Amino acid sequence: MGERPDAPTAPELVVESEGHTQVLSPLRTYHVGRDPTSELVLDDARVSWHHAVLRTSAGHWVVEDEHSTNGTYTDGRRVRQSDVGPGTVIRFGSPADGPCAVLADAPRPAAAAPRARPSALTVVSQPGDTHTFRQPSAVRPLPPARTTRIGRAPDNDLIVPDLLVSRRHAELRTGPEGYEIVDVGSHNGTYLNGQPVSRAPVIPGDVIGVGHSAFVLVGDELQEFVDTGEVSLDVQDLAVRVDNGRRTLLGDVSFPVGEKTLLAVVGPSGAGKSTLLNALTGLRPADAGTVLYDGRDLYRDYAELRHRIGLVPQDDILHAQLTVRRALRYAAQLRFPEDTAKAEREARVDEVIRELGLEQRVDQSIHSLSGGQRKRVSVALELLTKPSLLFLDEPTSGLDPGMDRSVMHMLRGLADDGRTVIVVTHSVLSLDVCDRLLVLAPGGTIAYYGPPEEALAYFGFAEWPEAFESFENERDRDWAGQFRGSTQHGRFVAAESRQPRRAPESPHGPVAAPKAQSWGAQLGTLVRRYAANLSADRTFLVIMIALPFVMGAMARALAGGGLTQDSALNALLILNVGAVLTGAANAVRELVKERVIYQRERAVGLSRSAYVMSKVLVLGAITVVQAVVLTMVALVGVDLNAPDGRGVLMPPLVEITLAVALLAFTAMMLGLFVSALVRKEEATMPLLVLLAIVQVVFCGALLKLQGVPGLEQLAWLVPSRWALGAMAGTVDLHRIVPTDVTADPLFRHVASVWLLDMGMMVVLSLVLAVLVAKLLRRREPEIMRK
């Protein structure tokens, strides 16, 4: 069904036929016949398979016979085409007793008048050409003056057995002014015509989205349509431009992808494959053009439809130290609603393990799997939520030919099971298992679209390397123009594109992340997963245990039996360096190495603040324990030589331990900041060395900082500056080592100064936490941060 330019001037109608009532919208075309995919299905032998069409023309309704065997009749006479309207009686197959359709004015609830939003009749284009909206899976009468409860629990009026649906999800309420949909605290949201709502009026034709199901109000009935995975994708004139439109990454790309299709996207480097993938998944919407997900505008309805899209990036989205089952369990906890029972999650995890053939690998650590097996686990993770569209970016990269073919055959099986699968690849070894092949030319244009077996013959080459060389050697060739004029374009693009051309109907963003769980529940899951991952990393455990002992032993060697004029400053300096290295080393790689995981999980509902807090809590606890061990190894049994054996507010050893722990924690936050800032993990180690040097230079142990313009203010940003001040204040360092450097006002044995030193480290930690969150936002999908 397509939009009609004259639709606003034609009235809505109600057709009554065979005991059923249906609202007809002027924005749709209605097919009548025995074909189950027709909008008006008539089960009568006298009715042809495709019998007639009801549509609008020039502001009024028209019935048009489609060359039926027994004819179409209005008011007793056979017609080929006739104007119809309220009061018209149409019979199909016989003028006397054929199936009858009576047209009447469509009533409108009083509450609908002030609304200015699209109805579902513009949400789905050509529903007869989609799998989801061809025929309702169920039709449920709505009781008058009563609330209809929708949810996963068995005591709801409408039970939706979908793990994306909460046990108590939404209510359809009936009132004097019509119907109203109310979200009752669901975790994945309730949607009206693709947009998230908490409470909104509903008029006939509106689409209520709950999980994988859509409910459409038709008269006093609620028709249910279930997205079972067999969906089509229509790509229309996609274009992506950068540098203020001066450079084109993707140029007017159009192609259809049918249900249960495996599509491979190939092309030379720089042809726009990743750009196309981002546009099709909605992560980076195209600047122009439309993506129709089973007849629905993906960009407009992205908030709802993103739950049905799975994406497997080129890099694994897995914590390598976890076992397969454990990784899938944590992913299920994060992606399913909080009220999902453990048994329900376990059943779904077991289901995807069987589907991907991972039964023999469930207790094996992911890092010990082969490349092909790791890719299967990544796919299994995405299949947890039963996506209808599955995208994969270079899934066979780095695999040997055998593994390459194994992965492609796995994708073939996933498509055959009822999904649309699109894979971007550089490999041409297994293209024969695909249904369609899309070849992109430099500049992001289509050089070929059709069956893989016809591609080389179309280009006139015997081998793929020759075809790719031609792209490089013939850069001025109009590959897209040549394809548009080919018979392949007519057969596989024009003839298979069933959806009418549509312009984007709303801005592309921003779209907030879905919230499958409360913040606290996410934090608990993230903390447990992160702790489990670290505890399984033997290398990390060895370094974590050894580092404070090594640094503590060095400080103790310098301190000797007590803090004297010769040893005090150096011992405190080593404590500073040890705390900085301990904290920063713990965190400096932790965000950058998980960037791909974070980006994917953020797109499906991960809370940014919960993610940051999980790192802070786990790494913070480890860092503080290390700092305590470092201080104890260095100073237990050492004469701290504090004034009268007392610190500023507490015993000297306690105060120094607190200062070292707070410094290590702040350094850990500084490490997270660096990890969020850099683009590659390899850059973290040189920066860690630089951080340590900066802490030594600006802590105040080697240079006089007080009263030096610029240098003094810069040192305020260095955590070790305040930590050394607190430790020096505890032992009254200037009394032990009377020099110009130790005469620093921040080293005084005064409670207010000591509290200032400690407080500034707390402030720096909070500022760094805010900066980490802001830097993480820059790494999120573009549609979520516009």
Side-chain angles (χ1 to χ4, degrees):
M1 92 192 144
E3 285 190 49
R4 308 187 62 83
D6 50 38
T9 63
E12 285 187 343
L13 294 178
V14 171
V15 60
E16 297 180 6
S17 176
E18 297 188 342
H20 297 285
T21 301
Q22 183 170 346
V23 177
L24 304 186
S25 164
L27 300 175
R28 298 176 61 179
T29 296
Y30 296 84
H31 297 84
V32 184
R34 294 201 330 272
D35 185 350
T37 66
S38 299
E39 285 79 13
L40 295 176
V41 180
L42 301 177
D43 188 13
D44 190 294
R46 292 168 295 179
V47 177
S48 298
W49 191 255
H50 297 134
H51 195 105
V53 172
L54 274 167
R55 58 181 176 80
T56 56
S57 175
H60 57 270
W61 283 91
V62 173
V63 62
E64 183 177 345
D65 187 84
E66 287 200 300
H67 306 289
S68 66
T69 302
N70 295 315
T72 301
Y73 303 84
T74 62
D75 299 326
R77 60 187 179 85
R78 184 166 183 165
V79 297
R80 292 294 302 274
Q81 180 173 312
S82 176
D83 293 347
V84 295
T88 301
V89 178
I90 309 174
R91 287 193 179 273
F92 306 94
S94 170
D97 59 353
C100 174
V102 181
L103 305 184
D105 284 315
R108 283 186 173 275
R115 289 206 350 223
R117 58 174 169 81
S119 76
L121 306 174
T122 62
V123 169
V124 186
S125 62
Q126 292 293 69
D129 290 329
T130 71
H131 186 277
T132 303
F133 289 94
R134 284 176 191 165
Q135 196 74 11
S137 59
V139 178
R140 308 171 187 270
L142 291 174
R146 203 188 124 189
T147 295
T148 302
R149 296 176 302 168
I150 305 172
R152 200 176 77 251
D155 58 348
N156 286 285
D157 301 300
L158 290 181
I159 303 171
V160 184
D162 180 351
L163 289 184
L164 291 180
V165 177
S166 298
R167 294 180 64 81
R168 301 283 184 272
H169 198 102
E171 293 179 352
L172 184 63
R173 299 175 181 174
T174 307
E177 296 184 342
Y179 293 100
E180 181 183 49
I181 187 69
V182 180
D183 186 270
V184 291
S186 70
H187 297 289
N188 283 319
T190 301
Y191 301 86
L192 186 64
N193 300 327
Q195 304 305 309
V197 295
S198 55
R199 178 188 295 263
V202 180
I203 62 174
D206 279 346
V207 171
I208 301 168
V210 175
H212 287 88
S213 296
F215 298 93
V216 181
L217 182 63
V218 179
D220 58 354
E221 295 178 336
L222 202 61
Q223 297 184 356
E224 181 180 8
F225 300 86
V226 180
D227 184 345
T228 59
E230 296 183 29
V231 300
S232 61
L233 195 71
D234 277 81
V235 181
Q236 302 178 351
D237 306 316
L238 285 194
V240 175
R241 300 178 180 89
V242 295
D243 299 335
N244 295 322
R246 292 189 297 272
R247 189 161 65 96
T248 298
L249 300 182
L250 206 63
D252 298 325
V253 169
S254 299
F255 58 90
V257 186
E259 302 160 8
K260 301 171 68 172
T261 293
L262 174 57
L263 167 67
V265 181
V266 302
S269 297
K273 298 187 296 296
S274 296
T275 302
L276 176 62
L277 187 70
N278 288 334
L280 296 182
T281 56
L283 296 180
R284 197 291 186 191
D287 301 308
T290 306
V291 180
L292 294 180
Y293 172 103
D294 219 25
R296 300 179 62 177
D297 189 321
L298 174 65
Y299 294 161
R300 184 197 57 211
D301 299 350
Y302 182 73
E304 177 184 357
L305 297 179
R306 64 179 160 192
H307 296 290
R308 309 180 196 180
I309 297 175
L311 172 62
V312 181
Q314 182 174 351
D315 296 325
D316 291 329
I317 47 176
L318 305 162
H319 289 85
Q321 301 301 325
L322 299 178
T323 63
V324 171
R325 184 181 294 279
R326 211 168 184 185
L328 293 177
R329 280 175 174 170
Y330 284 126
Q333 290 179 38
L334 287 173
R335 297 193 180 198
F336 290 138
E338 193 174 344
D339 61 9
T340 306
K342 181 179 179 181
E344 293 177 295
R345 292 197 305 267
E346 289 291 322
R348 182 59 189 151
V349 168
D350 290 339
E351 189 178 345
V352 298
I353 286 173
R354 288 193 300 271
E355 186 174 5
L356 273 301
L358 294 168
E359 297 96 327
Q360 306 302 318
R361 310 289 181 181
V362 291
D363 297 320
Q364 191 170 338
S365 297
I366 292 171
H367 71 81
S368 66
L369 298 176
S370 66
Q373 293 294 343
R374 285 200 302 274
K375 195 58 65 177
R376 284 178 179 268
V377 180
S378 292
V379 173
L381 189 150
E382 289 299 306
L383 293 186
L384 286 171
T385 54
K386 297 186 177 181
S388 301
L389 275 178
L390 182 62
F391 294 87
L392 300 99
D393 188 8
E394 300 287 355
T396 61
S397 178
L399 302 183
D400 61 58
M403 283 293 183
D404 180 302
R405 191 154 188 84
S406 174
V407 170
M408 292 301 291
H409 275 282
M410 172 191 69
L411 301 181
R412 174 72 269 168
L414 293 177
D416 291 339
D417 286 342
R419 299 177 188 86
T420 299
V421 181
I422 299 178
V423 53
V424 172
T425 180
H426 276 105
S427 173
V428 295
L429 297 177
S430 303
L431 296 180
D432 58 302
V433 305
C434 301
D435 300 294
R436 289 289 182 267
L437 173 65
L438 171 64
V439 182
L440 290 176
T445 59
I446 294 182
Y448 173 81
Y449 182 84
E453 60 270 17
E454 298 184 19
L456 283 175
Y458 169 80
F459 288 116
F461 296 107
E463 302 291 341
W464 278 108
E466 297 172 331
F468 286 132
E469 283 179 3
S470 68
F471 289 129
E472 183 66 29
N473 299 332
E474 302 177 50
R475 287 189 168 272
D476 295 332
R477 184 172 173 180
D478 185 6
W479 295 98
Q482 178 180 325
F483 177 67
R484 283 194 299 270
S486 68
T487 58
Q488 284 82 0
H489 183 276
R491 290 163 54 203
F492 305 120
V493 177
E496 294 185 2
S497 296
R498 298 182 179 181
Q499 298 294 333
R501 282 287 189 264
R502 299 182 65 180
E505 298 180 18
S506 71
H508 296 165
V511 176
K515 291 179 171 38
Q517 295 184 341
S518 67
W519 189 88
Q522 279 202 11
L523 177 61
T525 301
L526 290 168
V527 166
R528 291 193 301 274
R529 183 179 69 176
Y530 189 38
N533 189 55
L534 290 181
S535 62
D537 189 341
R538 295 181 180 177
T539 302
F540 177 82
L541 289 176
V542 170
I543 296 174
M544 179 185 69
I545 294 171
L547 186 59
F549 282 98
V550 172
M551 298 302 297
M554 292 172 60
R556 189 177 189 91
L558 286 172
L563 299 184
T564 65
Q565 184 172 0
D566 295 329
S567 65
L569 189 57
N570 290 333
L572 297 182
L573 177 60
I574 290 298
L575 279 178
N576 267 262
V577 173
V580 168
L581 283 177
T582 299
N586 285 344
V588 76
R589 296 170 57 248
E590 294 306 298
L591 297 182
V592 66
K593 76 178 183 182
E594 290 186 2
R595 183 156 295 157
V596 176
I597 299 175
Y598 171 75
Q599 289 172 338
R600 182 59 193 144
E601 292 186 340
R602 176 67 176 147
V604 296
L606 181 69
S607 165
R608 185 193 311 128
S609 57
Y611 178 75
V612 173
M613 185 56 69
S614 70
K615 301 296 184 187
V616 171
L617 291 178
V618 175
L619 290 176
I622 293 172
T623 299
V624 167
V625 170
Q626 288 176 303
V628 172
V629 171
L630 166 65
T631 311
M632 294 297 105
V633 171
L635 298 181
V636 167
V638 174
D639 181 7
L640 300 181
N641 200 11
D644 299 324
R646 295 194 300 268
V648 177
L649 297 173
M650 292 170 283
L653 184 58
V654 174
E655 287 188 1
I656 292 178
T657 301
L658 288 175
V660 173
L662 192 50
L663 172 59
F665 183 89
T666 308
M668 181 269 295
M669 293 302 303
L670 188 58
L672 286 179
F673 170 75
V674 171
S675 192
L677 183 66
V678 299
R679 291 183 176 273
K680 295 184 178 181
E681 191 174 343
E682 293 80 5
T684 57
M685 288 301 106
L687 288 175
L688 177 61
V689 174
L690 179 61
L691 280 178
I693 294 173
V694 169
Q695 302 299 319
V696 171
V697 172
F698 287 94
C699 70
L702 304 179
L703 300 174
K704 180 182 179 182
L705 300 174
Q706 187 67 25
V708 181
L711 205 59
E712 179 184 6
Q713 288 73 30
L714 184 61
W716 293 346
L717 302 176
V718 178
S720 63
R721 166 77 166 137
W722 305 100
L724 183 62
M727 288 186 278
T730 293
V731 299
D732 194 4
L733 185 62
H734 185 60
R735 176 183 55 85
I736 301 173
V737 186
T739 66
D740 290 342
V741 170
T742 60
D744 196 314
L746 294 180
F747 292 3
R748 288 187 296 158
H749 187 74
V750 178
S752 59
V753 174
W754 189 84
L755 292 174
L756 173 65
D757 291 333
M758 299 292 283
M760 283 302 298
M761 285 189 283
V762 174
V763 170
L764 287 174
S765 295
L766 293 175
V767 170
L768 288 167
V770 172
L771 292 176
V772 168
K774 288 187 175 296
L775 288 171
L776 283 177
R777 182 176 180 273
R778 294 171 51 194
R779 309 298 183 187
E780 293 171 5
E782 183 174 329
I783 195 169
M784 298 172 62
R785 54 185 169 88
K786 280 191 175 182

